[in-house]
Amino acid sequence: EVEVEPRKDNEAPKTQQLLLSDPNPHPHPHPNTRSDCLQAEMGRKKRKDGPKPWCWYCEREFDTEDILIQHQKARHFKCSVCHRRLFTASGLVVHCQSKHKIDIKEVPNSLPGRESTEIEICGMAGVPEEDLLNHRSSDRAETAEEKRARLEEEATYGAGDDIDEAAAAAEANAAAAVRH
């Protein structure tokens, strides 16, 4: 049994006394500084190693999945009539149909090829496995801006080896139109 002594009015609480007197108040040894541990105990989230969460609809990266979900609700799943924020594209479709009699065919503010309301995505949950793997491998190879441009080009000209041929044909058509 531990005896607890009443504290005097001018004394700091026991926990504060321990922190002030003991250079390492933690029972486990660790490489972090004392201030880092105190901040971590007080609510600061530790940074996880690995890929950052990213929005499947627009390729933007976020520090946490909570911030990603807030982004999706504000940017992709927000009703244009009453500004209600929903958790999924299908939730937005059902809301707009039942409350406003509006048919939503595409997810707002999404990249070409990513407009489908059929895919059930909330945060990182539901992102197609192929896109997760592609994002991880291309994450090191190209920036988000470069990827946006590539996805737009693929949506315009098609994917694969045909891109260069389609781009050349488009340039030739544009040049021919200028001549006439």
Side-chain angles (χ1 to χ4, degrees), residues 153-173:
E153 187 173 309
E154 286 177 5
T156 304
Y157 301 116
D161 297 332
D162 299 336
I163 292 175
D164 293 333
E165 293 171 18
E171 286 178 24
N173 289 340

Side-chain angles (χ1 to χ4, degrees), residues 57 65 68-69 72-73 77 87-89 119-127:
Y57 296 103
E65 191 163 1
L68 166 61
I69 291 169
Q72 288 173 336
K73 288 172 69 175
F77 309 146
F87 282 96
T88 62
I119 300 174
E120 193 73 17
I121 293 176
C122 181
M124 291 298 293
V127 173

Side-chain angles (χ1 to χ4, degrees), residues 111 143-155:
L111 290 171
T143 66
E145 194 59 42
E146 291 167 337
K147 189 163 188 170
R148 261 190 213 101
R150 181 177 53 79
L151 288 172
E152 287 175 5
E153 187 173 309
E154 286 177 5

Side-chain angles (χ1 to χ4, degrees), residues 40-143:
E41 285 179 358
M42 295 169 61
R44 190 181 86 194
K45 294 183 180 179
K46 293 180 183 176
R47 178 111 192 210
K48 293 180 184 175
D49 289 336
K52 287 184 171 186
W54 54 278
C55 180
W56 184 77
Y57 296 103
C58 66
E59 290 286 329
R60 187 170 166 194
E61 287 189 345
F62 298 90
D63 289 332
T64 66
E65 191 163 1
D66 288 342
I67 297 171
L68 166 61
I69 291 169
Q70 291 305 312
H71 158 79
Q72 288 173 336
K73 288 172 69 175
R75 186 97 172 120
H76 304 295
F77 309 146
K78 184 176 178 182
C79 175
S80 61
V81 177
C82 67
H83 306 293
R84 181 173 178 172
R85 296 173 181 201
L86 297 116
F87 282 96
T88 62
S90 61
L92 178 63
V93 169
V94 169
H95 164 79
C96 287
Q97 179 57 46
S98 64
K99 299 295 181 191
H100 308 298
K101 306 298 184 240
I102 298 172
D103 287 329
I104 301 291
K105 302 289 186 205
E106 295 181 348
V107 174
N109 305 306
S110 57
L111 290 171
R114 303 264 174 107
E115 309 96 342
S116 175
T117 59
E118 300 295 316
I119 300 174
E120 193 73 17
I121 293 176
C122 181
M124 291 298 293
V127 173
E129 188 67 30
E130 180 183 339
D131 292 333
L132 278 173
L133 295 172
N134 287 340
H135 182 80
R136 286 186 189 131
S137 64
S138 68
D139 205 19
R140 294 159 192 79
E142 63 185 344
T143 66

